[in-house]
Amino acid sequence: SQELEQSPQSLIVQEGKNLTINCTSSKTLYGLYWYKQKYGEGLIFLMMLQKGGEEKSHEKITAKLDEKKQQSSLHITASQPSHAGIYLCGADSRRSGGYNKLIFGAGTRLAVHP
Amino acid sequence: NAGVTQTPKFQVLKTGQSMTLQCAQDMNHEYMSWYRQDPGMGLRLIHYSVGAGITDQGEVPNGYNVSRSTTEDFPLRLLSAAPSQTSVYFCASMQRGAAEAFFGQGTRLTVV
């Protein structure tokens, strides 16, 4: 079965600093999702990447899917306290047109100190 | 528009008790799923459904049953609760082929 490994597990940064979270899959990715979870709440969709080399941005958050489609990185520019939370990558290992069976990595806990 | 609604938000069970976690969505989504979230392990898929009358097992299905009699509802049943089932449970729904899954606010379950 497909597995997603996220790194780092946790991250503490000072406000204004840039940071990167990585997500590596054991199999080829046909859809890679990034979600954010505020502590004690449900998940909020950030973006989805499908094509190798694809890059998308949402406010100050940018995500890329590498050419070989087995790794994605999430980059936050000029972090703010509002960016704090748990970032999870999710994958749909089925080819497009199939049913969505979403699995997730263990998550990266981000704290941003003022 | 309510989105995905989970009830209850909190529950304490004794070992061996049974209960049903409710999940309802009002977006006419085909796909619904249940996850559990444990510290350090992220979200693990328990069961999922691709439409009314169709369910399938996820990564950690043991100890849980589901059914999907309507498009809107996808209840999760614990037949005989065990302490290992102490977790936060999330229900999600999405349209087939869509990019975004919608999550409920979670049910925090403690089994003593």
Side-chain angles (χ1 to χ4, degrees):
Chain A
S1 61
Q2 184 170 19
E3 293 183 355
L4 296 174
E5 186 172 329
Q6 283 187 240
S7 62
Q9 288 184 334
S10 63
L11 197 53
I12 302 172
V13 299
Q14 197 157 15
E15 184 176 358
K17 296 295 185 183
N18 303 335
L19 64 105
T20 299
I21 298 169
N22 294 303
C23 176
T24 301
S25 172
S26 59
K27 295 184 180 180
T28 299
L29 293 163
Y30 293 102
L32 188 285
Y33 305 79
W34 283 101
Y35 283 80
K36 179 186 174 184
Q37 181 182 26
K38 289 188 177 181
Y39 297 108
E41 298 182 11
L43 279 69
I44 302 297
F45 174 78
L46 294 176
M47 60 194 84
M48 174 191 178
L49 304 165
Q50 280 188 301
K51 300 176 184 177
E54 187 175 9
E55 180 175 323
K56 287 187 177 178
S57 293
H58 173 73
E59 299 178 343
K60 291 186 177 180
I61 301 174
T62 301
K64 300 178 185 179
L65 184 61
D66 79 354
E67 291 290 341
K68 295 182 180 178
K69 295 177 68 176
Q70 285 195 251
Q71 187 171 12
S72 177
S73 59
L74 184 101
H75 185 76
I76 299 177
T77 303
S79 58
Q80 301 170 355
S82 61
H83 287 126
I86 302 172
Y87 289 82
L88 296 103
C89 66
D92 178 359
S93 60
R94 300 170 191 263
R95 293 179 182 272
S96 62
Y99 294 114
N100 300 67
K101 183 178 178 181
L102 291 180
I103 61 170
F104 287 89
T108 295
R109 290 179 172 268
L110 172 64
V112 181
H113 290 175
Chain B
N1 197 343
V4 179
T5 303
Q6 287 184 237
T7 55
K9 286 187 169 56
F10 300 94
Q11 183 71 49
V12 178
L13 286 179
K14 292 183 179 179
T15 298
Q17 284 185 317
S18 63
M19 80 159 295
T20 300
L21 307 185
Q22 302 290 346
C23 176
Q25 52 95 5
D26 60 1
M27 297 170 282
N28 203 31
H29 286 168
E30 295 175 291
Y31 180 81
M32 295 186 75
S33 54
W34 276 102
Y35 294 87
R36 59 178 289 174
Q37 186 175 34
D38 302 293
M41 303 191 75
L43 287 172
R44 290 184 292 168
L45 182 64
I46 304 172
H47 285 286
Y48 66 103
S49 168
V50 298
I54 307 169
T55 63
D56 204 352
Q57 296 181 348
E59 304 166 275
V60 288
N62 293 339
Y64 307 95
N65 281 349
V66 292
S67 60
R68 184 96 179 271
S69 56
T70 67
T71 299
E72 295 79 19
D73 300 300
F74 191 44
L76 178 72
R77 297 182 186 85
L78 284 71
L79 298 178
S80 179
S84 60
Q85 294 179 304
T86 293
S87 186
V88 181
Y89 292 84
F90 288 98
C91 177
S93 77
M94 68 190 297
Q95 193 58 271
R96 178 180 175 176
E100 180 177 359
F102 293 83
F103 283 79
Q105 290 298 298
T107 295
R108 187 173 294 274
L109 175 68
T110 301
V111 182
V112 297

